[in-house]
Amino acid sequence: MRYATPITVLLLLVTTAGVASAQGTNNDTDANRRQAAKEYLEVQPVEKMMRNVVEKTSARMPGGSKERAQAVMDELRYDTLRTAMIDAMANTFTVEEIEALTQFYSTPEGRSVMEKMSTYMAKVQPVMMKEVRRSMKQVMEARPEQKQ
């Protein structure tokens, strides 16, 4: 009888772990992903993300000005962007992944990363595009049968 308690505890732990695991699996539903995505967009508002993108983009364009950037931002349909972002997040990430993003971007480091991301991408994207074009040209020249 003295082993009944440890065996009971072990069975209880195994049963509880199974229930917790099942609940974790059930937590990753479309509705929960969408709710998590909405919470993410509270931490990373669409308007703020787009302002950063538009300002960086217009600064690189000839004749770019703050007035033009503001005019573009005024014309953006934020509800359309918000819906697209929620749909994309819900169809791409798990609830846990979205919650991890939300948690990270809630930190000072996360906010700093987001502020710098468009600058980083502006520096890297031209090199990436140049390299993709170069490699595509190489492939097309090496395999003329694939030209169409």
Side-chain angles (χ1 to χ4, degrees), residues 43-96:
V43 171
Q44 284 300 102
V46 175
E47 296 81 0
K48 185 176 179 182
M49 282 189 263
M50 294 309 299
R51 178 176 292 110
N52 198 7
V53 169
V54 169
E55 286 175 355
K56 301 282 189 207
T57 303
S58 65
R60 291 191 313 263
M61 296 176 71
S65 67
K66 288 187 180 211
E67 294 80 21
R68 182 173 292 170
Q70 185 60 50
V72 169
M73 290 183 331
D74 290 344
E75 289 297 320
L76 288 173
R77 296 179 300 171
Y78 293 104
D79 55 333
T80 300
L81 295 170
R82 193 173 294 104
T83 298
M85 291 173 143
I86 290 169
D87 289 347
M89 290 187 88
N91 291 315
T92 304
F93 303 115
T94 65
V95 169
E96 291 79 15

Side-chain angles (χ1 to χ4, degrees), residues 6-139:
I7 291 173
T8 304
V9 170
L10 181 61
L11 287 172
L12 195 59
L13 287 173
V14 169
T15 305
T16 306
V19 169
S21 175
Q23 286 175 341
T25 303
N26 291 336
N27 185 39
D28 194 32
T29 64
D30 184 65
N32 288 345
R33 287 178 180 198
R34 289 180 181 287
Q35 181 58 40
K38 289 175 185 176
E39 291 169 11
Y40 168 80
L41 292 177
E42 289 175 18
V43 171
Q44 284 300 102
V46 175
E47 296 81 0
K48 185 176 179 182
M49 282 189 263
M50 294 309 299
R51 178 176 292 110
N52 198 7
V53 169
V54 169
E55 286 175 355
K56 301 282 189 207
T57 303
S58 65
R60 291 191 313 263
M61 296 176 71
S65 67
K66 288 187 180 211
E67 294 80 21
R68 182 173 292 170
Q70 185 60 50
V72 169
M73 290 183 331
D74 290 344
E75 289 297 320
L76 288 173
R77 296 179 300 171
Y78 293 104
D79 55 333
T80 300
L81 295 170
R82 193 173 294 104
T83 298
M85 291 173 143
I86 290 169
D87 289 347
M89 290 187 88
N91 291 315
T92 304
F93 303 115
T94 65
V95 169
E96 291 79 15
E97 291 166 338
I98 298 168
E99 289 172 348
L101 283 170
T102 303
Q103 184 177 5
F104 174 68
Y105 287 120
S106 296
T107 67
E109 295 83 3
R111 287 188 292 274
S112 180
V113 166
M114 185 54 82
E115 290 290 325
K116 296 174 184 175
M117 189 57 70
S118 63
T119 300
Y120 163 76
M121 288 305 297
K123 292 176 181 179
V124 173
Q125 193 172 19
V127 176
M128 290 170 55
M129 294 307 297
K130 183 177 178 181
E131 186 60 19
V132 167
R133 283 191 298 272
R134 184 204 61 77
S135 63
M136 287 176 69
K137 181 180 176 187
Q138 289 293 109
V139 167

